Amino acid sequence: MKRDSVVSRRSPGGGLIHPPHDVEQVARILERWVSTPGSLLPILHDIQAAMGHVPPGAVGQIARALNQSRAEVHGVISFYHDFRRSPAGLHVLKVCQAESCQAVGSRALTAGIERLLGCKLGETTADGAVTLEAVYCLGNCACSPALMLDGRLHGLVTEAKAERLIATARKGA
């Protein structure tokens, strides 16, 4: 995936230029939720479910509809690790970075997976096949280190096991 296709840029005048997003689709989601108190999280979830991510250009649209600042909306998006600001790859690989997994090698496992995929945590492979994400507890501490691939939990993961899981996922794509 070309990173420049989803990243905001500065205009010659200094303002941010965001990649286009479906303004009407965001408006329909906002219309459904705008009169519900505390609706920011449901709005963000619905936008991500519909579009695969929360487009940076939608932040202002959401903020205006909820009478909040862009910073407030952005703060919620950046606080919760499940919200994406750019589209994910075809497969999403979450590697646990919590203490239990670290104690049995998740940092080395992560480094091995980064080498295998050619991307770092928070990035997507050049071919758009796999997005690699950090997660801070999958609730599988007894079987650390753990990872989740496309919503399926795996425990006692070695680099070799991770490589097999990724290869199987890519073949099944």
Side-chain angles (χ1 to χ4, degrees):
M1 168 182 306
K2 287 181 64 177
R3 299 291 290 163
D4 62 348
S5 65
V6 294
V7 176
S8 301
R9 302 218 178 268
R10 292 234 175 251
S11 70
L16 282 177
I17 299 172
H18 299 290
H21 69 280
D22 189 338
V23 174
E24 289 81 24
Q25 188 172 30
V26 172
R28 285 190 298 275
I29 292 168
L30 289 168
E31 185 177 313
R32 185 175 4 177
W33 288 103
V34 74
S35 62
T36 304
S39 61
L40 179 56
L41 286 174
I43 288 169
L44 294 174
H45 282 291
D46 281 3
I47 290 171
Q48 182 155 298
M51 302 174 138
H53 69 295
V54 180
V59 172
Q61 187 179 356
I62 298 164
R64 283 188 300 280
L66 297 178
N67 196 29
Q68 294 183 355
S69 71
R70 291 175 52 86
E72 289 171 307
V73 175
H74 175 75
V76 171
I77 294 168
S78 62
F79 179 78
Y80 292 103
H81 69 268
D82 282 335
F83 292 124
R84 292 187 177 81
R85 289 171 270 184
S86 61
L90 185 58
H91 302 284
V92 177
L93 176 61
K94 299 179 179 190
V95 183
C96 185
Q97 304 296 309
E99 290 79 4
S100 176
C101 286
Q102 282 185 41
V104 291
S106 72
R107 295 287 189 198
L109 173 64
T110 300
I113 292 171
E114 288 175 335
R115 282 189 301 277
L116 172 69
L117 295 176
C119 69
K120 300 282 186 195
L121 286 173
E123 296 179 348
T124 299
T125 56
D127 63 0
V130 181
T131 296
L132 181 59
E133 298 179 341
V135 66
Y136 295 91
C137 195
L138 290 167
N140 201 29
C141 302
C143 297
S144 296
L147 61 76
M148 183 176 282
L149 178 59
D150 296 334
R152 285 199 62 204
L153 183 61
H154 301 273
L156 302 172
V157 180
T158 62
E159 281 188 51
K161 182 175 181 178
E163 188 172 353
R164 286 191 305 273
L165 290 169
I166 293 165
T168 301
R170 283 183 154 184
K171 284 180 191 171

